[in-house]
Amino acid sequence: SPSSSSSSPTVESEFSTSQPSQPSPALSAPGARTLGWGKRRGAIDPSDDLLDSPDTYGYCVYSHADWSYAYKSVQGEYEYDIDEVEGTVPASLAGGVLYRNGPALFERGGAEYNHMLDGDGYCLRFEFPAAAGGAVKFRSRFVRTKEFVEEEAADAVVYRGTFGTMREGGPLANAMDLKQKNLANTNIMAWGGKVYALYEAGRPVELDPVTLDCLGEVDLDGKLNPGMFISAGLPQVLESAMGMGGSAFTAHPHADPNTGRMVGWGWKSLVAQRSVEVTFWEWDDAWTQQGQTVHMLAGCEAAPHDFAVTKSWYVMVQNCLKVDPLPYLAGVKGAGECLVSQPEDPVTVHLVPRPAKKGRGGGGGGGAAAAGGVGSRGKGGFTISGSGIDISIW
């Protein structure tokens, strides 16, 4: 790792062709060659030449002011043609459509949201012309979920946000309220003629592929129950009445180029078992289900953010996190604020075999054996442990 001493030898920049005879001003600055360059990270003035110096690359030298627009609410929705293009639109985009999604509204009724990730989803659509020289058609729309429409009409925060946004009234107005807003702000999936705005703590929200009008939440043919994605092991009817027993869908499904399938997963937290139940699904481009696999992440309290797909396996890295639910139930914190890091825990990697496909051989291959270590076979699976990493193969 780089030395923290300011007297270290001058390091040649990746843009230099020879060793400089004198240290550059950036390298001579107090705190040079340390994270933040001797200042609190992000505290660099946006006009400081330090930001443009290759000497500082890799040292967390940046300005928070440069990121300010990431926290600024978008005013309005737009539709226009982009007819001025610098360079050339890649041929692979001709005749295609690009979608993007992210948080873009950060206050209601003058009250700022507690965290930018509580921002309401805002989708962009770029339609590229089939012939060179044509205009790119642009459209943007907020994801007008049921909750978004209610809050827009009330001009106030009506629903709790995952990352701490609360209704007015303090704990008394928020305690024991398990209903969270589906922010639909993390990703967007276009597959098989359908377009979904995704949020990993909620169900997919369907959008019109052309207008981006919100068509409402979907349960993927009955796969995702409504309600908070936690279960206490009570009868489904009772949990539904309490706003529990629901399932959420990953914000990061993956299209597998080897099979031509879309691979995604739903999840819910089983509180009594201190586990997360994950169900993987695979669909062809007509949304016909091609496979389903249920897997338990034992000892896991917070679902993974993402996963990987290989020819034979689903791969998940288990979060080293615990959940302290009392502040959430008491209306003091959001669900995301109740996550407690457990850095001393070993990393657990789950390898779950994919459904067999003709000519592919299915999961269960021996590729994971190269991980090494000492293994102990349990019911239905195999665990390899070593060097602070546990690999569970099922």
Side-chain angles (χ1 to χ4, degrees):
S1 60
S3 168
S4 61
S5 171
S6 60
S7 60
S8 299
T10 300
V11 176
E12 184 177 0
S13 136
E14 62 180 299
F15 301 105
S16 301
T17 56
S18 62
Q19 183 77 11
S21 58
Q22 296 293 331
S24 70
L27 281 174
S28 301
R33 298 180 60 79
T34 63
L35 291 180
W37 225 248
K39 299 183 180 181
R40 181 173 55 84
R41 291 184 225 182
I44 307 298
D45 187 276
S47 63
D48 196 321
D49 292 339
L50 198 63
L51 295 173
D52 297 321
S53 173
D55 296 328
T56 66
Y57 293 173
Y59 289 95
C60 292
V61 176
Y62 63 95
S63 171
H64 278 305
D66 286 340
W67 291 87
S68 61
Y69 280 99
Y71 308 90
K72 184 179 178 63
S73 290
V74 172
Q75 302 298 322
E77 299 169 316
Y78 303 94
E79 184 176 351
Y80 52 83
D81 289 352
I82 304 172
D83 50 17
E84 295 184 11
V85 178
E86 294 184 12
T88 304
V89 175
S92 58
L93 294 179
V97 177
L98 173 68
Y99 297 92
R100 285 289 182 263
N101 184 18
L105 185 69
F106 305 105
E107 65 273 328
R108 279 291 187 195
E112 292 188 359
Y113 294 169
N114 187 67
H115 195 286
M116 69 165 294
L117 295 181
D118 275 340
D120 296 294
Y122 189 76
C123 292
L124 314 178
R125 182 182 188 273
F126 301 84
E127 182 178 345
F128 293 91
V136 177
K137 295 185 179 298
F138 173 80
R139 184 191 299 264
S140 63
R141 294 289 186 273
F142 282 104
V143 184
R144 296 182 173 276
T145 62
K146 178 178 71 70
E147 298 93 337
F148 181 98
V149 172
E150 287 185 36
E151 293 193 330
E152 184 177 49
D155 194 24
V157 174
V158 177
Y159 293 91
R160 298 178 70 177
T162 301
F163 296 93
T165 300
M166 303 283 187
R167 292 191 299 267
E168 289 187 6
L172 290 179
N174 292 278
M176 301 307 295
D177 179 9
L178 302 182
K179 172 63 176 177
Q180 290 187 143
K181 179 167 57 173
N182 186 339
L183 300 171
N185 69 2
T186 309
N187 200 1
I188 193 164
M189 173 174 62
W191 182 260
K194 301 284 188 180
V195 173
Y196 296 121
L198 302 177
Y199 177 58
E200 57 201 333
R203 300 192 296 178
V205 177
E206 187 172 2
L207 306 177
D208 185 284
V210 177
T211 67
L212 297 181
D213 290 342
C214 182
L215 304 179
E217 282 191 4
V218 298
D219 60 10
L220 299 179
D221 293 328
K223 296 176 175 60
L224 304 170
N225 289 327
M228 188 67 170
F229 40 85
I230 56 175
S231 172
L234 303 175
Q236 181 65 44
V237 174
L238 181 58
E239 291 199 332
S240 295
M242 299 170 63
M244 299 165 50
S247 300
F249 187 72
T250 178
H252 301 284
H254 296 297
D256 179 8
N258 298 296
T259 62
R261 295 177 179 175
M262 178 61 71
V263 184
W265 48 281
W267 67 278
K268 62 181 174 182
S269 179
L270 306 182
V271 177
Q273 301 179 38
R274 194 170 166 263
S275 300
V276 170
E277 180 184 273
V278 175
T279 304
F280 297 94
W281 297 288
E282 301 197 14
W283 296 275
D284 62 20
D285 59 8
W287 281 99
T288 301
Q289 183 176 311
Q290 300 297 315
Q292 175 176 307
T293 303
V294 180
H295 180 68
M296 300 293 291
L297 304 180
C300 179
E301 298 186 23
H305 175 76
D306 201 348
F307 76 125
V309 180
T310 73
K311 289 184 177 180
S312 298
W313 306 92
Y314 308 123
V315 184
M316 280 190 160
V317 179
Q318 184 166 315
N319 290 318
C320 294
L321 296 169
K322 292 186 182 298
V323 178
D324 178 12
L326 292 181
Y328 178 71
L329 296 174
V332 177
K333 291 183 177 181
E337 296 177 301
C338 295
L339 299 177
V340 182
S341 177
Q342 304 292 306
E344 71 281 358
D345 288 354
V347 175
T348 300
V349 181
H350 295 259
L351 305 181
V352 183
R354 296 178 64 181
K357 180 178 175 63
K358 186 176 181 180
R360 177 167 61 85
V374 179
S376 59
R377 181 173 296 278
K379 182 179 180 181
F382 192 87
T383 299
I384 302 172
S385 301
S387 301
I389 298 179
D390 293 341
I391 301 178
S392 297
I393 305 173
W394 299 93

